[in-house]
């Protein structure tokens, strides 16, 4: 590689699976325990806010008992040393990428550890429950905080920045995602249109596997550190 390639990495629930965080669509996954329509839509929140707040309170508490795994650590290491442009776009709402040290990171589906005030629009870091309807730390309004999670039917965050990075990508790597949900499932095609090389690292072929130049199947904690070492070795050779 003559110049340092620009890298875009998309991660999904599979990158956090080995940290003990349930994926959505694997056997026994989250959506098998709850109908999406009952917990992850604005209509569900309007219909039964207590059910939705309880679901997310449970998830918010659960992720705080988990730790980053070797895949998160390897991506954070790459982020720290990569001299080219690099962006990790995660669909995940846990904070394991940050806790591993990743900096160049976008949470396109929001974050468990953030509360969004429907009165003043402020986002606040939040680690406790929302079910007891606490007041907004910014405007003081009572009971206006909702999970800062992008629900089905809502617009994912930072899409301009994501498409800007995809259009400049030389390498697009998709890790631990089923390719079941758009717009993330379409990123591989954006990257290909920009001329990027595309690689999928996943436990099994995703729904979009055929769009990738290369696919490696297995656990993220094995695949990701190996790939990171390869890409760093290649950049050292060409330096
Ligand atoms: N290592 C690598 N891949 C894994 C592992 C693992 N240890 N465990 C599971 N996987 C793979 C599965 O094979 C599957 O392809 O991770 C993928 C997880 O897919 P989903 O459960 O559909 O999760 P994700 O793709 O992140 O879902 C996308 O859907 O419900 C919405 O907003 C939610 O962000 C989520 C989006």
């Amino acid at each position: 590689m003559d110049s340092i390639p620009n890298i875009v990495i998309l991660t999904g629930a599979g990158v956090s699976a080995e940290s003990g965080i349930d994926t959505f669509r694997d056997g026994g996954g989250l959506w098998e325990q709850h109908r999406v329509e009952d917990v992850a839509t604005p209509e569900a929140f309007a219909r039964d806010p207590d059910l939705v707040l309880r679901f997310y309170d449970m998830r918010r508490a659960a992720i705080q008992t988990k730790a980053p795994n070797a895949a998160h650590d390897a991506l954070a290491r790459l982020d720290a040393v990569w001299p080219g442009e690099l962006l990790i776009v995660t669909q995940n709402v846990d904070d394991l990428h940050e806790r591993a040290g990743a900096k160049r990171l976008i949470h396109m589906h929001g974050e468990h550890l953030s509360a969004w005030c429907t009165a003043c629009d402020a986002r606040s870091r939040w680690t406790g429950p929302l079910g007891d309807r606490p007041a907004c730390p910014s405007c003081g309004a009572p009971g206006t905080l909702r999970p800062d999670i992008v629900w089905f039917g809502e617009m994912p965050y930072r899409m301009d920045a994501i498409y800007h990075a995809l259009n400049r990508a030389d390498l697009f790597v998709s890790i631990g995602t089923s390719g079941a949900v758009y717009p993330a499932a379409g990123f591989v095609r954006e990257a290909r249109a920009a001329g990027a090389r595309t690689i999928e690292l996943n436990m099994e072929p995703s729904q979009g596997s055929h769009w990738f130049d290369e696919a490696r199947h297995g656990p993220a904690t094995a695949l990701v550190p190996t790939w990171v070492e390869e890409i760093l070795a290649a950049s050292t050779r060409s330096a």
Side-chain angles (χ1 to χ4, degrees), residues 57 59 61 89 126 135 139 170:
D57 285 353
R59 302 289 300 148
V89 180
W126 205 268
C139 72
D170 301 297

Side-chain angles (χ1 to χ4, degrees), residues 143-215:
T144 56
L145 296 177
R146 60 161 272 187
D148 189 11
I149 300 285
V150 177
W151 285 327
F152 288 92
E154 296 182 325
M155 178 59 72
Y157 291 153
R158 309 279 308 282
M159 291 305 292
D160 289 349
I162 294 168
Y163 283 120
H164 176 76
L166 288 168
N167 292 334
R168 299 168 54 79
D170 301 297
L171 184 56
F172 175 76
V173 188
S174 178
I175 303 171
T177 182
S178 60
V181 174
Y182 285 81
F187 289 171
V188 60
R189 273 170 270 174
E190 291 289 329
R192 288 177 67 91
R197 176 165 162 66
T198 56
I199 305 176
E200 174 174 86
L201 308 178
N202 204 56
M203 185 62 90
E204 62 196 6
S206 72
Q207 293 181 26
S209 214
H210 54 283
W211 291 104
F212 289 85
D213 298 312
E214 181 187 354

Side-chain angles (χ1 to χ4, degrees), residues 53-134:
L53 291 175
R54 268 198 317 275
F55 174 78
Y56 285 99
D57 285 353
M58 176 197 67
R59 302 289 300 148
R60 188 178 310 107
I63 65 161
Q64 296 177 71
T65 68
K66 312 299 183 189
N69 62 51
H72 298 107
D73 294 341
L75 292 177
R77 184 164 65 249
L78 179 63
D79 180 21
V81 303
W82 190 253
E85 292 175 25
L86 181 143
L87 178 63
I88 301 170
V89 180
T90 189
Q91 301 172 88
N92 299 340
V93 290
D94 62 56
D95 66 334
L96 298 186
H97 281 305
E98 295 90 323
R99 280 164 53 197
K103 302 282 187 248
R104 294 182 275 183
L105 174 67
I106 288 179
H107 278 277
M108 64 180 287
H109 289 166
E111 301 174 64
H112 273 314
L113 301 186
S114 173
W116 176 17
C117 179
T118 55
C120 72
D121 209 31
R123 266 82 172 174
S124 310
R125 179 169 168 78
W126 205 268
T127 55
L130 289 172
D132 50 4
R133 302 315 183 87

